[in-house]
Amino acid sequence: MDKLTVIQNRLQNELAAMNDIIRRSLFTPNQLMNQVVTSYLTSKGKQIRPIMVILSAGMFGGVNDHVLHAGAALEMLHNASLIHDDVVDETPLRRGKDTINHQWGNHIAVLVGDYFVSNALAAGIKTDNISIISAISDLGKELSLGEIDQICNARSHHFDEESYISMIRKKTASLFVNCVKMGAEAAGASPKEYEPLMRYAELFGLCFQIKDDIFDYFDSISIGKPTGNDLREGKVTLPLLHALASGPEEEAAEMKALLKRGNLSPYEISTLIDFAKSNGGIEYAYDRMAQMQAQALSLLDSYQESDWKESFKDIFAFVISRKS
């Protein structure tokens, strides 16, 4: 049993209550919307984000109804971003099932994503905490800007690690930062109390995205997307960025020329992947995650020992070791 499953089992009552809030929030008399939403909710994923909300609340006093609504709001906003991403990327499958856009078309998918966003805000209002409502609003902006940054990096051919880290900080890490902030706020903690946990969450989110990006360099059914999918979309991630910066200069120039030209063939994608691997890109990405993990765990030292704190350690270890 992996570390995440242990945490999920420990929080099964809280997660069940939160998922019930989501189901009740999204229910509508409209038959088509209800059919699409109900089908979508049958595959919940790992729910790491609401788990982070609940763990954060546990660190600062316990899980209450406001915490569960905060977790529901985050999960619905996250799912809205996935639904909209699937439209943009023309993704046919997610979690082994047809995406909404593939099954129902882009028009329905965009409307369902908007419906999730609206219900996320409604759930946030039920926390009776303006800081949480503000966090949901800010998060929506950060997620959008992160995606725009990724498009700009691809179009402008920014092959530097700094731009990449800045982009994934907005695109992914911001969501986890707001998870712990909202959980702590809903539990009644002060900003000074949860500030170290927010920095932990940022490092956690960076590692989460780096590990996701590593998957693109390997072929696995469990990952749910083809090898080289990021490169096919013009996204240059950490393993290749490192290889471009540290590999043989002439070969790196050839790889950059390929990336700038775009419309890569399967052979060219394979060439770029091999270049990243043979020049230490994968090892470098794991080294960066290990550095971030060590820094994140040191931030937890300011909190007293508890099962909640141990779960934060365990979930970080899971994110780096996960297979999908």
Side-chain angles (χ1 to χ4, degrees), residues 226-301:
T227 308
N229 197 58
D230 288 340
L231 287 170
R232 197 171 290 107
E233 296 172 0
K235 302 171 185 175
V236 183
T237 54
L238 189 58
L240 182 54
L241 288 172
H242 172 74
L244 291 171
S246 63
E249 190 173 335
E250 186 175 339
E251 192 177 357
E254 292 175 3
M255 298 302 107
K256 287 179 182 178
L258 278 180
L259 291 164
K260 289 177 180 179
R261 195 202 70 213
N263 295 318
L264 300 171
S265 68
Y267 174 77
E268 289 166 337
I269 290 172
S270 179
T271 299
L272 287 162
I273 289 173
D274 290 343
F275 175 75
K277 288 180 177 179
S278 62
N279 286 281
I282 304 300
E283 292 81 1
Y284 177 78
Y286 274 105
D287 285 345
R288 289 288 281 123
M289 286 193 293
Q291 293 167 12
M292 292 178 184
Q293 182 184 24
Q295 187 179 351
L297 295 184
S298 70
L299 289 163
L300 294 178
D301 289 343

Side-chain angles (χ1 to χ4, degrees), residues 15 87 150 183 202 214 242 250 263 272 316:
L15 289 172
V87 172
Q150 188 167 58
E202 181 178 55
I214 289 173
H242 172 74
E250 186 175 339
N263 295 318
L272 287 162
F316 210 123

